[in-house]
Amino acid sequence: LSSQRNSSSLGDRFYKFKRGKKNNKVQGMYSRIILRFSICLSICSIVVHGCSKKSAAIEASRYETAAEVTETPTTFGQRKVHYETTTMLDLLLEGKYEDANETTEDDPWRKPKKKTATYVGLINQGATCYLNSALQMLFFIKSLTKSVFQVPLISDDQEKKKDDLGLAFQRIFYKLQFDKDAVSTKEFTKALGWGPSDHMEQQDAVEFLTVFIWKLEDILKNTKVEWDTSKLFEGKLEWYINCLKANCKKKSEETYITVSLDVKGKDNIYESFLYYTQPEQLVGENTYYFDEEYGRQAAEKGYRFKSFPPVLFLQLKRFDYDWDLDRVVKLGSLLEYPVELNLTQFLHSKEQVNDNETAYVLQSVLVYMGNGSAGHYVVYSNPACDGQWFRFDDSSVRQATLQEATEDNYGKGNGTTSSVWDKSTLAYMLVYIQKSGMGEMLKEITLDDIPAALQKRMEAEKVKPAIF
């Protein structure tokens, strides 16, 4: 027994030593040695990289040694945060260090990437893939980006105010348009009023996109581009109830931004639209109480589309609640979606309808990977709707194929999954652009589209990398 107690493994002693459970003085000495060693390696790295200021900034941020927050991906893409002292030596020992110029596609450290194939990504703050995905999809709607640039700057006495959301949108879109490296979202989330830990809370990307549109609508109020969000994103839907045996009807019109479509038991988008517009029969015990005059009546109720917007957001219902498991599960049902979509048959009134007004081209696919509790979002986008596809995974941007954006994310059956090991990828939202206005909506941004005052403001905000 004595021999066993005295022969504890080096790994066990290092584990206790590293966690600071004993020998604090030695631990402090160890930390100081590692700190100096890290600084020396940082300086050597700067020399190797040609002493460039940019490399110095990158290396200084990556070699931070004082109780920094690091992140590693779990098996389903959701980053897990570790609050502990991490040194460059730790990274070297664990095989996680890599050169700044040798980044890989699936980069666990989410370092800023060089500008790839014309576009740049957004840096993940911890669990902000949903925010990055929503911003990327909105940015590629160029007419919206141009409208945001037209919002007047805040007055001079508030010029230094950092939590102005309108300016935050202008700043993030400006950087996505002109920067050469992945863009930080810290100033943007600060303008949203986020607290210290909000960046670690995952949210639904579709809900967040909708909130963004509402906020942009408020930002554009009382400006010359006030109604641009309504013109771009709002369609009209009619809710109706018709009595089957009496001459009584009800109907009301409402606007919508997204259309939520069922995927379970449907083979493609057209079947989902048919199911959406199919009337529900209210008969038997489920008759409808109309009013005092008609009382309860057998009736049918449903929705019908009065118009479709220039930018059509289709949410696919990929999640359901399993009462047996008492948890949310992901639906892996197969659902095909075309690159070109025509919705003429689903308009209530087809008279004087231009086919181009109901013909759409697929621009973006929001993809979810994970289970019903947590996961990761990426975006496949065809920004100019010219068949050139790109994959946006936070700061990582690369060219992609049509198959990656479509077939690979259709789903593979009618089953559900709640496993934490689930790695399957599924389309969760589709963004279609109306053919009739595609040229104007996607016309590339130039400096002429940005007010001179805003250009001056954005250039003045650029900060040179620090030298140490």
Side-chain angles (χ1 to χ4, degrees):
L1 291 175
S2 176
S3 174
Q4 292 178 3
R5 284 197 300 269
N6 294 330
S7 61
S8 58
S9 67
L10 177 62
D12 291 339
R13 292 201 301 272
F14 180 75
Y15 177 85
K16 295 178 181 179
F17 169 74
K18 185 175 181 181
R19 293 295 186 270
K21 293 186 177 180
K22 60 179 181 178
N23 209 340
N24 293 331
K25 292 184 179 179
V26 177
Q27 184 181 10
M29 183 184 301
Y30 171 80
S31 299
R32 289 193 293 274
I33 292 172
I34 294 302
L35 176 61
R36 293 171 184 172
F37 181 63
S38 299
I39 293 174
C40 290
L41 286 180
S42 300
I43 295 173
C44 292
S45 178
I46 295 171
V47 174
V48 171
H49 283 79
C51 298
S52 68
K53 297 179 182 180
K54 189 172 182 179
S55 294
I58 295 173
E59 299 302 315
S61 64
R62 288 177 59 197
Y63 300 160
E64 192 70 31
T65 61
E68 67 178 2
V69 178
T70 64
E71 49 180 308
T72 58
T74 65
T75 55
F76 50 84
Q78 171 67 28
R79 281 149 306 284
K80 182 180 181 182
V81 178
H82 304 274
Y83 293 90
E84 60 178 78
T85 300
T86 303
T87 66
M88 188 176 66
L89 179 61
D90 292 327
L91 304 185
L92 289 168
L93 292 174
E94 296 174 13
K96 293 180 180 177
Y97 169 77
E98 60 182 16
D99 187 82
N101 294 325
E102 298 177 353
T103 57
T104 58
E105 175 192 334
D106 297 321
D107 182 10
W109 301 100
R110 300 293 178 189
K111 294 180 295 297
K113 298 290 191 302
K114 296 291 183 181
K115 190 170 185 177
T116 305
T118 309
Y119 304 104
V120 297
L122 294 163
I123 299 172
N124 195 311
Q125 295 187 46
T128 57
C129 54
Y130 63 91
L131 178 143
N132 294 346
S133 299
L135 285 172
Q136 288 283 14
M137 288 190 292
L138 288 176
F139 169 70
F140 290 131
I141 304 168
K142 297 300 183 179
S143 58
L144 172 68
T145 303
K146 293 175 184 177
S147 297
V148 171
F149 286 150
Q150 297 303 316
V151 175
L153 290 172
I154 49 181
S155 59
D156 293 338
D157 60 334
Q158 294 178 308
E159 194 169 29
K160 295 182 179 180
K161 185 178 179 182
K162 295 295 184 183
D163 58 349
D164 180 76
L165 190 55
L167 179 60
F169 269 107
Q170 291 174 328
R171 183 184 293 113
I172 207 80
F173 286 166
Y174 188 92
K175 290 182 176 181
L176 285 173
Q177 181 67 32
F178 297 108
D179 278 14
K180 297 181 179 180
D181 298 309
V183 178
S184 171
T185 57
K186 289 184 178 179
E187 289 182 333
F188 185 83
T189 54
K190 182 180 179 182
L192 289 175
W194 282 18
S197 61
D198 288 339
H199 65 284
M200 295 310 305
E201 180 183 348
Q202 191 177 57
Q203 299 188 42
D204 185 272
V206 174
E207 292 179 3
F208 216 76
L209 177 75
T210 306
V211 171
F212 273 174
I213 294 174
W214 290 341
K215 288 187 176 295
L216 284 170
E217 187 175 356
D218 291 337
I219 290 169
L220 299 181
K221 277 183 179 179
N222 302 319
T223 69
K224 62 181 181 181
V225 290
E226 178 174 2
W227 300 107
D228 282 11
T229 54
S230 300
K231 293 176 182 177
L232 281 174
F233 303 124
E234 289 187 2
K236 292 182 179 180
L237 193 68
E238 185 178 78
W239 170 86
Y240 67 90
I241 291 182
N242 295 331
C243 296
L244 299 177
K245 298 180 180 180
N247 186 23
C248 50
K249 299 179 180 180
K250 279 185 180 180
K251 63 180 180 179
S252 64
E253 190 174 278
E254 57 189 60
T255 60
Y256 65 91
I257 294 176
T258 61
V259 181
S260 296
L261 299 175
D262 285 84
V263 301
K264 194 172 183 179
K266 314 296 180 293
D267 291 332
N268 53 57
I269 284 292
Y270 291 106
E271 289 188 10
S272 296
F273 266 99
L274 282 171
Y275 183 77
Y276 190 95
T277 54
Q278 181 179 350
E280 177 186 358
Q281 300 296 311
L282 305 178
V283 296
E285 296 180 355
N286 195 31
T287 54
Y288 178 76
Y289 180 80
F290 198 83
D291 56 23
E292 292 184 359
E293 179 181 356
Y294 290 98
R296 302 194 70 87
Q297 292 286 337
E300 64 176 14
K301 73 172 183 178
Y303 292 93
R304 48 199 176 205
F305 291 97
K306 301 282 285 187
S307 67
F308 293 107
V311 180
L312 181 62
F313 293 114
L314 303 181
Q315 179 186 8
L316 308 183
K317 295 181 180 179
R318 287 293 183 186
F319 300 98
D320 197 6
Y321 193 83
D322 190 312
W323 293 98
D324 294 329
L325 296 174
D326 193 25
R327 70 181 65 172
V328 176
V329 295
K330 185 173 72 173
L331 301 178
S333 304
L334 174 68
L335 186 82
E336 297 180 1
Y337 46 90
V339 174
E340 295 193 9
L341 180 71
N342 193 303
L343 299 174
T344 302
Q345 60 179 307
F346 302 109
L347 274 181
H348 177 53
S349 177
K350 302 178 181 61
E351 297 178 1
Q352 298 179 343
V353 174
N354 187 331
D355 286 342
N356 284 333
E357 294 179 1
T358 55
Y360 288 84
V361 176
L362 182 65
Q363 185 193 43
S364 295
V365 180
L366 174 66
V367 171
Y368 178 83
M369 58 187 77
N371 58 21
S373 302
H376 182 59
Y377 292 101
V378 299
V379 172
Y380 288 94
S381 190
N382 172 26
C385 288
D386 58 356
Q388 298 296 313
W389 286 90
F390 299 87
R391 183 180 189 268
F392 296 84
D393 182 1
D394 292 329
S395 57
S396 176
V397 181
R398 67 167 175 82
Q399 287 185 316
T401 64
L402 175 62
Q403 178 177 329
E404 287 181 285
T406 55
E407 295 178 25
D408 289 354
N409 301 299
Y410 284 165
K412 296 181 179 180
N414 293 320
T416 63
T417 177
S418 59
S419 171
V420 297
W421 308 108
D422 181 25
K423 295 182 179 179
S424 63
T425 62
L426 295 170
Y428 185 41
M429 171 174 265
L430 309 174
V431 182
Y432 282 94
I433 303 296
Q434 200 174 61
K435 278 188 175 181
S436 61
M438 192 166 61
E440 185 64 28
M441 283 187 285
L442 305 182
K443 187 177 180 180
E444 192 53 62
I445 296 170
T446 66
L447 289 175
D448 293 336
D449 298 311
I450 306 173
L454 180 59
Q455 293 183 42
K456 183 178 179 180
R457 173 66 178 263
M458 294 296 102
E459 294 302 317
E461 286 186 357
K462 289 185 177 180
V463 180
K464 295 182 179 180
I467 303 177
F468 68 96

